[in-house]
């Protein structure tokens, strides 16, 4: 027992070292221990505190188990030890848990919640709407007619209040490096605040099981300096300048391209699809080759997604892909 | 004198003898036989759930793997969760352990309602076959064991998959309800003379708590399942937002069942621990009343914490804080027990045989899982980690580590009682260490990948996320766990054939089952024992007196299947009941019920109505011959 207890604790140290290493660097944009906002930072700090206290608690119990191993061949003591149980099992946990409860559920919960609509923060915050779909994210900006998909651009060091809802099943909006998650419920609108302390690209992913392609429902948050963001928003509001008859024939039942007769909003808005970094909600990078692959066989790239097989010829695929990639 | 005892015992043997052969097993009402049926059936489902788990772990061994596609993967994790909870742990604890051991521990000859007990088993078996026929016919439940609407509504899940889900769980719920009612009445009314509540073994307190929990939690799930069935097949709008329904209603009703359920899963394990620790330390449990109250309290408070599964749904903060507070309170009964177990081990003279090793492992795993569980009462942290692998790590430490380790320990502990043979100690200890290493390799890295952002219920994941190596370790741990389980059962099977005779009390165990032969005779106790402490087998004076009472023909009750009935609080005798003999009606009733469920899958309501009449007729047949009239 003792040996194994040591071995387990040894393994644990190695593992914790690994966590610390990952928390320190080599990020991939979806790491709750590498926060880039005060909110996510306070949650990560809380985790390290809880981990410390928990490790101590576990050590106490392991010590008791190891001690019992040493007592294995001795005479039993008839000394009643109810007092030990009352102290270790009631008094100490009550204090520790009361502290955790007050700190996290009275103070921390406020700091990480969306600001109340009447507050100053809410007034100066950028407000955007995210609508969940099987299996992609619709992103709407209040100014102009800006609708995009799977990529959220925000100004850095600015509070952003995201109103989330769903068009079909329950999804969950989660950018671990920026804040805690919030479910997207059909028929309800929930709010979550995101804030990026430094410019960069942060990954998010649907966290509530939503069907066949729940695994491929990612998105990126791009936090840019305010002027870059303003330029992006301006560009994004521009309607498309070119029209494709093939697109109107085959794709406009579901997709919108602002400035053309294609106005359907079943699938993602494609007005500026050429400027996005990924396709199919983070499944593949956005290149001409991938675009062709996607248009030709969407069900092979992301089986079970809502885009049907269109049975196009290679030439049509190429024409459409080229057209769409030109929509910057 | 001796001849008189032999004659009495012979007469009891004749009275209680079971019908031979397969027919005997199909019509049996003996709690030990039904317990064994539960045991074997449950192990088959455990194997199925394990294969599902290993298939998923193999799929997740590396990024972008292609062993199974999303369709099958979603069915696998849905059915894995359902199987392990509803077709393994609950029936293994209340069904197998509860059935076999509770009557023995309270000094009874059977459960209070033996035919009802048979009915619960056959409905349970039917529900499991129903689920797996669904899975193998390509209609396995595929919206998770939690089955959130609207994903599980007809619009988004048009197949028959969810009908398999709702109806198999309704059947299973009927079975669990009957078992828990049976256990509650047995514990309340069939206790041996003198076994007042303060002298009842902690094991029975735990099973009482689990049974009460099931009895009060299941109606909420059943209502939810019926609503979903009606929404999908009859056109009601309970969960239909467009027509004024609510998707959150499903979640509230589900978790009002689902959280007590979590405690229902582990409380029996607490009960097993509180038997094994005294037996292998040869010392009474420290803080007995505190532990007994804690076992009941954990389930009771467990009814007030359900919304902590819904912290990310956008409920108002006030609601969240209330449920976080309740979650904080439910920790205390658990910490009481952790320190009662561990101080009892120190204060006694522990012998680290396999059962106690499993209990030591259980305490370790329970504390790890419990500590991460406490973290979820911090709402912001919960909302960061919910629906990630961190949660999977947490509840597998609880469910595998804390609920299943004691089940394994209990299998070793009561193996000599059930089979009359000793198991082989060394392979038993080896199986423990393999499982200890395997499960920690399997589940510990899940904490880390969860914090690194890996969500649950994904059938694959990208390569550049830094999750690959952890997943590889987890999968290796999964296979080591599988090997550990195989070693464990191989040992038990070999021991069954080659083990040395165990005698009636190889451990000098504390409770009544160790006072009778191994395996126990059909009638359990030749004379109903008189009890004066929660550790009756250590009260040698009492047990000697039982021997004398048998010789004097006192409390033998050999005029049929007779069972004394006791008063609720103090356990003293208030009457004698005649118990039923074997009966074909339970299995027939279960069969008709299962047929009803089957035609409801395909919406044949008229046929279902006809079968309902058949069901009534079956029940008439059942009651046409009451035991009192024999």
């Amino acid at each position: 027992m003792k040996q194994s207890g040591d071995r387990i604790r040894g393994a644990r140290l190695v593992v914790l070292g690994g966590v610390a290493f990952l928390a320190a660097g080599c990020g991939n944009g979806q790491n709750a221990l590498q926060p880039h906002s005060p909110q996510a930072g306070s949650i990560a700090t809380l985790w390290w505190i809880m981990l410390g206290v928990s490790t101590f608690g576990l050590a106490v119990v392991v010590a008791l188990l190891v001690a019992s191993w040493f007592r294995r061949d001795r005479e039993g003591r008839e000394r009643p030890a109810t007092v030990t149980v009352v102290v270790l099992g009631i008094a100490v946990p009550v204090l520790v848990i009361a502290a955790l409860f007050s700190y996290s559920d009275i103070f921390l919960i406020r700091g990480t919640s969306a600001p109340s609509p009447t507050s100053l923060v809410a007034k100066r915050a950028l407000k955007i709407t995210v609508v969940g779909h099987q299996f992609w994210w619709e992103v709407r900006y209040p100014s102009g007619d800006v609708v995009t998909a799977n990529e959220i651009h925000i100004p850095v060091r600015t509070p952003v209040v995201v109103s989330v809802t769903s068009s079909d099943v329950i999804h969950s909006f989660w950018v671990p490096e920026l804040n805690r998650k919030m479910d997207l419920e059909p028929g309800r609108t929930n709010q979550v605040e995101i804030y990026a302390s430094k410019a960069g690209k942060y990954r998010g992913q649907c966290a509530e099981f939503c069907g066949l392609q729940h695994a491929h429902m990612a998105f990126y948050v791009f936090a840019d300096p305010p002027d870059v963001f303003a330029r992006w928003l301006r560009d994004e509001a521009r309607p498309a300048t070119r029209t494709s008859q093939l697109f109107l024939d085959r794709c406009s039942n579901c997709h919108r391209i602002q400035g053309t007769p294609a106005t359907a909003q079943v699938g993602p808005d494609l007005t500026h699809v050429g400027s996005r970094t990924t396709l199919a909600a983070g499944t593949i990078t956005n290149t001409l080759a991938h675009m062709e692959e996607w248009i030709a066989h969407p069900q092979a790239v992301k089986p079970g997604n809502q885009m049907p097989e269109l049975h196009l010829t290679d030439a049509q695929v190429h024409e459409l892909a080229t057209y769409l990639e030109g929509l910057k | 004198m001796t001849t008189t005892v032999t004659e009495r015992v012979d007469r009891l043997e004749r009275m209680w003898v079971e019908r031979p052969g397969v027919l005997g097993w199909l019509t049996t009402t003996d709690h030990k036989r039904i317990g064994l049926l539960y045991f074997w059936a449950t192990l088959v489902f455990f194997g199925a759930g394990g294969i599902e788990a290993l298939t998923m772990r193999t799929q997740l061994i590396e990024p972008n793997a292609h062993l199974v596609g999303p369709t099958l993967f979603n069915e696998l994790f849905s059915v894995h969760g359902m199987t392990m909870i509803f077709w393994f742990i609950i029936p293994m604890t209340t069904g197998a352990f509860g059935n076999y051991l509770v009557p023995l521990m309270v000094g009874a000859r059977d459960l209070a309602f033996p035919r009802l007990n048979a009915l619960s088993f056959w409905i349970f078996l039917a529900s499991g076959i129903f689920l797996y026929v669904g899975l193998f016919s390509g209609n396995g439940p595929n919206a998770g064991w939690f089955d959130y609407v609207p994903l599980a509504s007809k619009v988004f899940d048009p197949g028959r998959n969810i009908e398999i889900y709702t109806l198999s769980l309704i059947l299973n719920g009927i079975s669990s309800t009957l078992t828990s009612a049976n256990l509650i009445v047995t514990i309340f009314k069939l206790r041996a003379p003198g076994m007042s509540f303060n002298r009842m073994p902690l094991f029975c307190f735990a099973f009482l708590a689990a049974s009460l929990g099931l009895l009060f939690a299941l109606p909420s799930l059943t209502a939810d399942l019926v609503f979903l069935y009606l929404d999908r097949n009859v056109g009601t709008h309970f969960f239909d937002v467009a027509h004024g329904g609510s998707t959150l209603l499903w979640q509230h009703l589900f978790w009002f069942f689902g959280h007590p359920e979590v405690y229902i899963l582990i409380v029996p394990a607490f009960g097993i621990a509180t038997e094994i620790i005294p037996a292998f330390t040869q010392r009474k449990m420290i803080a007995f009343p505190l532990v007994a109250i804690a076992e009941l309290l954990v389930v009771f408070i467990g009814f007030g914490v359900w919304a902590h599964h819904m912290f990310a749904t956008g409920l108002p903060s006030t609601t969240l804080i209330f449920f976080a507070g309740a979650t904080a309170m439910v920790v205390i009964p658990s910490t009481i027990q952790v320190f009662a177990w561990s101080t009892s081990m120190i204060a006694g003279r522990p012998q680290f045989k396999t059962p106690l090793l499993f209990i030591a492992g259980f305490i370790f795993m329970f504390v790890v899982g419990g500590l991460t569980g406490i973290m979820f009462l911090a709402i912001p942290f919960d909302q960061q980690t919910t629906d990630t692998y961190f949660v999977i790590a947490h509840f597998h430490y609880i469910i595998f580590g804390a609920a299943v380790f004691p089940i394994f320990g209990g299998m070793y502990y009561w193996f000599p009682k059930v089979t009359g043979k000793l198991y082989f100690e060394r392979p038993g200890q080896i199986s423990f260490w393999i499982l200890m290493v395997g499960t920690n390799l399997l589940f510990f890295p899940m904490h880390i990948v969860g914090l690194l952002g890996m969500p649950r219920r994904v059938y694959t994941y990208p390569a550049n996320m830094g999750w690959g190596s952890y997943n590889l370790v987890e999968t290796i741990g999964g296979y080591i766990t599988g090997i550990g389980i195989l070693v464990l059962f191989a040992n038990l099977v070999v021991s069954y054939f080659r083990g040395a005779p165990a005698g009636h009390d190889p451990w000098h165990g504390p409770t009544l089952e160790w006072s009778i032969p191994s395996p126990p005779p059909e009638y359990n106790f030749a004379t109903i024992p008189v009890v004066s402490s929660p550790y009756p087998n250590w009260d040698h004076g009492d047990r000697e007196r039982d021997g004398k009472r048998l010789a004097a023909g006192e409390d033998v009750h050999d005029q049929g299947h007779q069972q004394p009935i006791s008063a609720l609080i103090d356990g003293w005798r208030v009457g004698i009941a005649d118990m039923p003999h074997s009966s074909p009606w339970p299995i027939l009733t279960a069969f008709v019920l299962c047929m009803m469920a089957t035609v409801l899958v395909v919406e044949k309501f008229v046929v279902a109505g006809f079968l309902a009449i058949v069901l009534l007729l079956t029940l008439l047949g059942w009651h046409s011959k009451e035991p009192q009239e024999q």
Side-chain angles (χ1 to χ4, degrees), chain B residues 292-470:
Chain B
I293 292 167
E295 283 177 348
L296 292 166
L297 261 188
V298 76
V299 173
F300 182 75
I301 304 176
F303 274 92
V305 303
W306 77 87
H308 74 206
H309 295 268
M310 301 165 63
F311 278 171
T313 56
L315 293 173
S317 304
T318 330
T319 314
L320 300 188
I321 292 167
F322 172 85
F323 282 99
T327 309
M329 289 202 302
V330 83
V331 174
I332 303 305
S334 302
T335 49
I336 290 174
Q337 293 182 78
V338 165
F339 288 103
W341 303 320
S342 44
T343 49
S344 296
M345 280 172 67
I346 289 192
R349 184 184 174 185
Q351 269 194 301
F352 282 89
K353 293 216 156 92
T354 311
L356 191 63
L357 279 179
F358 271 107
I359 296 307
F362 145 75
I363 295 174
F364 173 81
M365 302 290 278
F366 180 61
V367 171
V368 174
L371 287 165
T372 50
I374 294 171
M375 294 177 186
F376 294 128
L377 78 87
I379 297 163
F381 180 76
D382 176 287
Q383 264 178 280
Q384 182 68 287
T385 49
T386 188
D387 284 316
T388 70
Y389 264 82
F390 190 87
V391 174
I392 303 198
H394 154 70
F395 75 76
H396 279 89
Y397 266 85
I398 294 293
I399 293 185
F400 201 119
V404 180
F405 269 35
I407 289 176
F408 290 156
M411 285 179 192
Y412 276 109
Y413 176 59
W414 281 290
F415 183 84
K417 179 48 59 190
V418 176
T419 63
K421 304 279 181 62
L422 290 174
Y423 65 81
F424 292 105
E425 184 59 41
R426 194 151 183 84
Q429 300 201 0
I430 290 169
S431 71
F432 165 75
W433 287 111
I434 299 176
L435 278 167
M436 191 70 187
V437 171
T439 47
N440 280 289
L441 279 180
L442 171 56
F443 299 125
F444 195 83
M446 291 185 182
H447 292 113
I448 303 164
V449 276
L451 291 166
L452 297 184
M454 182 162 172
R456 295 173 72 172
R457 302 163 185 141
V458 290
Y459 75 98
T460 188
Y461 53 93
N464 56 353
M465 306 298 291
W467 303 336
S469 43
Y470 295 104

Side-chain angles (χ1 to χ4, degrees), chain A residues 4 15 22 28 30 32 68 71-72 74-75 77 79 88-89 97 105 174 176 180-181 183 190 207 213, chain B residues 283 312-313 324 331 335 339 346-347 349-350 377 379 383-384 386-387 433 444 448 451-453 459 465 470:
Chain A
S4 67
V15 164
L22 279 155
N28 48 56
Q30 197 167 309
S68 74
R71 292 202 42 81
R72 67 193 180 282
R74 304 192 193 161
E75 278 308 308
R77 275 178 298 183
R79 192 166 59 86
L88 290 178
I97 288 164
D105 296 340
W174 186 39
R180 50 192 163 117
K181 64 176 72 68
D183 286 358
N190 291 329
Q213 281 298 339
Chain B
R283 185 205 198 290
T313 56
V331 174
T335 49
F339 288 103
I346 289 192
R349 184 184 174 185
L377 78 87
I379 297 163
Q383 264 178 280
Q384 182 68 287
T386 188
D387 284 316
W433 287 111
F444 195 83
I448 303 164
L451 291 166
L452 297 184
Y459 75 98
M465 306 298 291
Y470 295 104

Side-chain angles (χ1 to χ4, degrees), chain A:
Chain A
M1 197 70 219
K2 178 197 169 235
Q3 269 184 339
S4 67
D6 287 349
R7 206 182 312 143
I8 289 155
R9 272 179 295 167
R12 185 139 314 186
L13 279 179
V14 173
V15 164
L16 291 179
V19 175
F21 170 69
L22 279 155
C26 80
N28 48 56
Q30 197 167 309
N31 183 342
L33 302 180
Q34 196 179 44
H36 286 286
S37 73
Q39 290 90 341
S42 64
I43 296 172
T45 308
L46 174 66
W47 152 253
W48 292 114
I49 296 170
M50 291 193 299
L51 178 66
V53 176
S54 299
T55 310
F56 180 74
L58 182 66
V60 170
V61 175
V62 170
L64 288 173
L65 292 176
V66 170
S68 74
W69 171 258
F70 282 113
R71 292 202 42 81
R72 67 193 180 282
D73 288 326
R74 304 192 193 161
E75 278 308 308
R77 275 178 298 183
E78 276 305 310
R79 192 166 59 86
T82 309
V83 173
T84 323
V85 177
V86 170
V87 171
L88 290 178
I90 302 179
V92 175
V94 163
L95 291 176
V96 173
I97 288 164
L100 173 63
F101 177 76
S102 335
Y103 173 63
S104 59
D105 296 340
I106 294 172
F107 296 105
L108 201 58
I109 191 173
R110 286 198 205 135
T112 54
S113 297
S116 86
T118 52
S119 67
L120 278 175
V121 179
K123 289 207 176 85
R124 75 183 179 94
L126 170 70
K127 293 175 194 66
I128 59 178
T129 302
V130 169
V131 184
H133 299 262
Q134 280 181 324
F135 303 92
W136 59 281
W137 308 84
E138 175 186 337
V139 187
R140 296 181 163 269
Y141 287 80
S143 62
D145 193 8
V146 176
V147 185
T148 179
N150 307 325
E151 295 193 354
I152 303 173
H153 289 252
I154 61 168
V156 73
R157 283 184 292 282
T158 308
V160 180
V161 176
V162 187
S163 296
V164 294
T165 187
S166 169
S167 72
D168 41 44
V169 303
I170 301 172
H171 305 276
S172 195
F173 178 90
W174 186 39
V175 196
E177 297 187 5
L178 301 185
N179 205 349
R180 50 192 163 117
K181 64 176 72 68
M182 184 54 78
D183 286 358
L184 284 60
E185 305 264 349
R188 289 168 64 104
T189 301
N190 291 329
Q191 294 197 319
V192 58
E193 183 185 346
I194 55 174
Y195 180 99
S197 307
K198 86 175 205 245
K201 176 178 165 187
Y202 306 99
R203 194 172 190 269
Q205 188 166 359
C206 177
E208 184 63 84
F209 177 61
C210 59
L212 281 179
Q213 281 298 339
H214 168 57
H216 289 128
M217 187 166 163
F219 63 98
Y220 285 97
V221 174
F222 294 87
D224 295 318
D227 54 321
V228 177
F229 170 74
R231 197 175 334 123
W232 174 85
L233 197 61
R234 240 189 350 264
D235 287 350
E236 208 57 18
R238 268 188 301 111
T241 48
R242 290 185 299 138
T243 314
S244 153
Q245 192 55 44
L246 183 59
F247 184 89
L248 292 179
D249 290 345
R250 302 305 304 272
C251 313
S252 63
N253 274 348
C254 298
H255 294 283
R256 183 178 91 140
I257 294 181
Q258 198 197 332
T260 75
T263 55
Q265 302 199 26
V266 179
D269 186 301
L270 299 177
T271 312
H272 298 279
V273 66
S275 69
R276 295 184 203 146
T277 56
T278 68
L279 295 174
T283 310
I284 41 178
T285 51
N286 188 6
T287 61
L288 182 63
H290 278 157
M291 182 65 97
E292 288 181 345
E293 198 184 330
W294 172 245
I295 295 170
H297 295 294
Q299 293 301 323
V301 175
K302 189 171 164 180
N305 89 86
Q306 307 283 345
M307 178 151 153
E309 293 280 325
L310 294 166
H311 307 291
L312 301 165
T313 64
D314 288 352
Q316 288 174 315
V317 168
H318 182 71
E319 185 189 332
L320 276 174
T322 316
Y323 168 65
L324 291 170
E325 288 297 333
L327 298 173
K328 297 285 184 191

Side-chain angles (χ1 to χ4, degrees), chain B residues 187-200:
Chain B
I187 290 170
F188 279 173
K189 295 301 288 179
L190 301 193
R191 298 199 307 279
M195 191 181 276
S196 49
F197 273 121
N198 57 336
R199 294 172 183 168
M200 191 166 83

